[in-house]
């Protein structure tokens, strides 16, 4: 059963894990089967007993096996909604983007208002703050009159930058100077400014896998290369794999979402975030924290972004009001720290400044306390939607289906049976009036061919439930 390659550079215990999970996936090892004893496995694989134990313990942590006292390790029975597994155990080569045409078709689907919107991550629509924001915008227009029609300054409206700084102080006790914040056209421009401030054409950028497709498109458009780093669906980036990547490739920067990743909805534990900062200091690699979902943890506990862990590392945090308040306002920000002058220069060059009326309205939204109240009301709605969606997937999709277990945000990552081609499912779903995001677009080498991302960030209704049921039936048809 085993064939460990001692020369290939991958940790031996990880090779043991891979070989066992392969045997589980092909049906050689079935739920309830006992794994070979530590000693037997050590002999047949030619690795030490502690190496095998390390592999088994890791498999237990990933909930693939369970240990029974005095008896050994057993393959677990599938619980409803088994959690997706990390699919990569070794660093992939830096790669240009393979699935541009598919991405364009996904955006066509997302922009079609007639489709059930399971393909777009737009959580603020689950409980729109439209009335409050409209009222505030009217008030701002009446008060600011002509000024609201003019240009904002390059860094952005001081009142909004102060409110964002105050929000960091209020929610996580972090000290941010309003003058180290630059207001941007959404989180996407925040990522663009941060990336161009710390890296140049040809540079290698480390990303989580799977990761947000907009980040991959950005890296590719700037003629940089993305290298994927294994990301655990329950703990975020695997730091040992990141270190291997840093040793192997000349990585210039990492673009990670350690608070709430898209599509996994995972938060990196605090101690790992601190280890991440130290590791990046050691290798002198910059970190761009994509924190656009930061306020949307279901338990309301906002972890401290890496930038505020008191490090010497070059870290830039990107935020946005798109996910919490109004995606159409196109207002985000960069906490640029030491790179603020460069970020300001780039902002001027790329887009001059961001819309003043929207900035003044959001400043008022935050200052009144309505933003915090709105987020507090939005997250339980998202959590309920997430639970409903997981339950419906468990009910209607084939038994081998696995899902992520998001701790916040608005998306569910779904692993389908191997035979299912997510691109085919995407085409069928569009024809049936449903938009979904096929897994291909979450990796530069389009490797997640049997995965989809489903959004629960919209008002829940019968159409949502019918769409999930239809998808389950279609996946069942495609799986044979
Ligand atoms: C992880 C992540 N980062 C950044 C963005 C871009 O945010 P914005 O709409 O504010 O540009 C998105 C939007 O989907 C996202 O999911």
């Amino acid at each position: 059963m085993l064939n460990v390659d001692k020369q290939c550079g991958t940790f031996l215990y990880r090779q043991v894990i891979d070989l066992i999970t392969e045997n589980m996936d092909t049906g050689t090892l079935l739920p309830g089967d006992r794994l070979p004893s530590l000693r037997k496995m050590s002999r047949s694989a030619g690795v030490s007993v502690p190496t095998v134990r390390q592999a088994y313990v890791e498999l237990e942590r990933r909930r693939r096996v369970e240990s029974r006292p005095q008896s050994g390790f057993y393959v677990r029975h599938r619980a409803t909604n088994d959690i997706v597994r990390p699919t990569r155990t070794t660093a992939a080569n830096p790669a240009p983007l393979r699935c541009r045409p598919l991405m364009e078709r996904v955006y066509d689907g997302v922009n079609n208002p007639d489709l059930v919107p399971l393909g777009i991550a737009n959580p603020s629509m689950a409980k729109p703050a439209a009335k409050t924001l409209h009222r505030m915008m009217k008030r701002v227009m009446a008060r600011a009159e002509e000024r609201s029609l003019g240009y904002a300054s390059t860094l952005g409206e001081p009142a909004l930058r102060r409110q964002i700084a105050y929000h960091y102080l209020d929610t996580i006790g972090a000290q941010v100077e309003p003058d180290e914040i630059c207001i941007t056209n959404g989180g996407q421009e925040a990522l663009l400014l941060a990336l161009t401030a710390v890296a140049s054409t040809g540079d290698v950028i480390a990303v989580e896998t799977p990761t947000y497709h907009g980040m991959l498109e950005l890296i590719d458009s700037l003629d940089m290369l993305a290298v994927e780093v294994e990301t655990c669906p329950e703990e975020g980036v695997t730091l040992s794999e990141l270190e291997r990547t840093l040793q192997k490739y000349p990585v210039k920067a990492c673009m990670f979402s350690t608070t709430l990743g898209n599509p996994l909805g995972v938060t990196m534990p605090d101690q790992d975030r601190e280890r991440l900062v130290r590791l990046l200091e050691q290798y002198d690699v910059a970190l761009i924290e994509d924190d656009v979902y930061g306020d949307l943890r279901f338990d309301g506990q906002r972890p401290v972004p890496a930038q505020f862990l008191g490090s010497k590392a070059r870290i830039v945090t990107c935020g946005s009001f798109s996910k919490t308040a109004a995606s159409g306002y196109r207002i985000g920000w960069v906490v640029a720290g030491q790179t603020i002058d460069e970020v300001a220069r780039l902002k001027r060059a790329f887009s001059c400044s961001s819309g003043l009326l929207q900035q003044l309205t959001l400043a008022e939204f935050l200052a009144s306390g309505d933003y915090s109240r709105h987020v507090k009301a939005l997250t339980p709605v998202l959590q309920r939607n997430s639970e409903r969606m997981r339950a419906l997937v468990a009910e209607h999709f084939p038994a081998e289906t696995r899902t992520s277990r998001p701790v916040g945000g608005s998306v569910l990552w779904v692993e389908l049976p191997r035979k299912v081609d997510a691109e085919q499912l995407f085409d069928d779903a569009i024809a049936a009036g449903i938009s979904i995001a096929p897994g291909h677009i979450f990796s530069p080498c389009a490797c997640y061919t049997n995965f989809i991302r489903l959004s629960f960030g919209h008002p829940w209704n019968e159409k949502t439930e019918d769409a999930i049921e239809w998808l389950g039936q279609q996946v069942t048809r495609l799986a044979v």
Side-chain angles (χ1 to χ4, degrees):
M1 180 167 101
L2 273 174
N3 184 14
V4 164
D5 176 1
K6 291 194 170 159
Q7 309 303 323
C8 78
T10 301
F11 287 119
L12 295 178
Y13 85 96
R14 285 189 174 274
Q15 292 193 52
V16 176
I17 291 175
D18 286 353
L19 288 161
I20 290 174
T21 47
E22 254 171 57
N23 278 282
M24 288 175 182
D25 291 340
T26 54
T28 308
L29 278 171
L30 289 173
D33 282 350
R34 184 171 177 271
L35 297 190
S37 71
L38 298 178
R39 218 167 276 287
K40 213 180 211 174
M41 181 64 105
S42 133
R43 262 199 310 275
S44 55
V47 296
S48 68
V49 169
T51 299
V52 179
R53 183 177 295 111
Q54 193 180 359
Y56 284 13
V57 167
E58 175 62 18
L59 281 166
E60 185 174 35
R61 202 186 59 76
R62 294 182 189 177
R63 299 159 57 89
R64 304 288 329 261
V65 304
E66 59 191 353
S67 65
R68 297 187 193 159
Q70 319 292 331
S71 180
F73 287 83
Y74 288 77
V75 180
R76 281 189 70 215
H77 283 276
R78 182 183 180 275
T80 330
N81 280 141
D82 256 3
I83 183 117
V84 286
R85 299 152 298 153
T87 29
R88 266 174 199 267
T89 51
T90 52
N93 293 325
L97 198 57
R98 279 225 197 123
C99 54
R100 215 174 248 282
L102 179 57
M103 246 186 221
E104 270 157 33
R105 280 160 53 217
V106 174
Y107 276 103
D108 287 346
V110 158
N111 292 329
N112 181 345
D114 297 330
L115 302 182
V116 183
L118 306 187
I120 184 169
N122 199 5
S124 66
M125 297 313 280
K127 195 175 192 319
K131 276 201 184 119
T132 315
L133 283 169
H134 290 172
R135 183 167 28 85
M136 283 181 176
M137 189 174 270
K138 268 193 193 156
R139 208 185 303 154
V140 164
M141 284 167 85
R143 204 175 51 217
E145 294 188 331
E146 284 99 8
R147 183 177 169 241
S148 68
L149 305 179
Y151 286 113
S153 65
T154 303
L155 282 186
E157 170 59 27
L160 180 59
R161 289 189 283 122
R162 197 183 75 72
Q163 285 302 329
I164 293 170
Y166 178 80
H167 187 63
Y168 281 115
L169 185 67
D170 191 36
T171 52
I172 53 172
Q175 186 94 30
V176 181
E177 297 290 327
D179 285 349
E180 54 175 322
I181 296 174
C182 176
I183 303 296
T184 60
N185 294 325
Q188 194 65 26
E189 192 189 45
L191 294 174
L192 167 68
L193 296 177
L195 189 55
T196 38
V198 303
S200 330
T201 305
D203 280 343
V204 176
I205 311 300
V207 295
E208 292 150 331
T209 185
T211 196
Y212 164 53
H213 48 84
M215 200 182 272
L216 296 175
E217 206 170 19
L218 187 59
I219 293 170
D220 194 62
S221 303
L222 294 170
D223 286 326
M224 300 178 191
L225 290 170
V227 60
E228 300 175 272
V229 185
E230 178 187 285
T231 305
C232 169
E234 291 180 297
E235 298 193 336
V237 170
T238 308
L239 292 177
S240 54
E241 285 303 316
L242 174 62
E243 181 149 27
R244 254 166 52 74
T245 306
L246 298 179
Q247 284 163 355
K248 199 164 170 193
Y249 303 112
V251 173
K252 194 66 187 255
C254 298
M255 289 182 100
F256 295 158
S257 294
T258 66
T259 296
L260 271 179
N262 171 5
L264 288 175
V266 57
T267 296
M268 181 181 263
D270 287 347
Q271 66 275 20
D272 282 5
R273 196 173 294 118
E274 284 173 21
R275 282 177 55 212
L276 168 68
V277 170
R278 284 198 298 277
L279 189 62
L280 296 182
E281 271 173 18
Q282 186 189 332
Y283 284 85
D284 193 24
V285 169
L287 171 64
I288 297 166
E289 268 253 60
D290 183 348
D291 197 35
V292 302
Y293 291 96
D295 282 339
L296 291 183
R297 267 188 59 113
F298 299 150
D299 62 5
Q301 302 293 314
R302 201 191 199 300
V304 179
Q307 186 167 13
F308 307 116
L309 295 174
S311 78
K312 299 186 292 287
R314 286 174 295 128
I315 304 180
V316 178
T317 306
C318 300
S320 175
F321 291 109
S322 297
K323 305 301 174 186
T324 48
S327 50
Y329 279 19
R330 307 305 305 134
I331 298 293
W333 67 91
V334 184
V335 183
Q338 302 157 12
T339 61
I340 187 67
D341 293 341
E342 182 62 1
V343 165
R345 186 185 69 74
L346 291 164
K347 172 70 187 172
R348 205 166 43 239
F350 292 159
S351 62
C352 185
S353 60
S354 297
L356 181 57
L357 182 55
Q358 291 88 334
Q359 293 188 54
L360 291 167
T361 305
L362 286 167
E364 181 108 357
F365 194 39
L366 270 86
S368 64
D370 281 327
Y371 174 80
S372 297
R373 279 189 285 279
H374 165 67
V375 168
K376 225 176 180 169
L378 173 63
T379 44
V381 174
L382 293 172
Q383 180 168 19
R384 205 170 329 120
N385 288 0
S386 144
E387 283 159 10
R388 284 164 162 166
M389 187 170 261
R390 291 187 79 230
L392 284 175
V393 168
E395 185 180 337
H396 296 295
F397 282 54
E400 310 94 281
T401 306
R402 296 185 174 88
T403 67
S404 56
R405 203 177 293 138
V407 294
S410 67
V411 291
L412 194 66
W413 183 237
V414 185
E415 181 179 356
L416 307 170
R418 281 206 179 175
K419 270 197 178 164
V420 179
D421 173 13
E423 186 171 353
Q424 177 68 54
L425 180 66
F426 166 79
D427 287 334
D428 297 346
I430 293 286
I434 305 162
S435 82
I436 59 169
H440 309 58
I441 65 173
F442 297 89
S443 148
C445 47
C447 65
Y448 294 103
T449 55
N450 61 317
F451 287 75
I452 53 173
R453 190 197 69 180
L454 297 178
S455 166
F456 49 80
H458 38 79
W460 193 269
N461 55 36
E462 243 173 57
K463 276 191 182 171
T464 318
E465 300 195 352
D466 291 348
I468 300 169
E469 184 175 346
W470 184 89
L471 286 168
Q473 287 163 357
Q474 190 62 9
V475 169
T476 308
R477 280 191 282 272
L478 294 173
V480 288

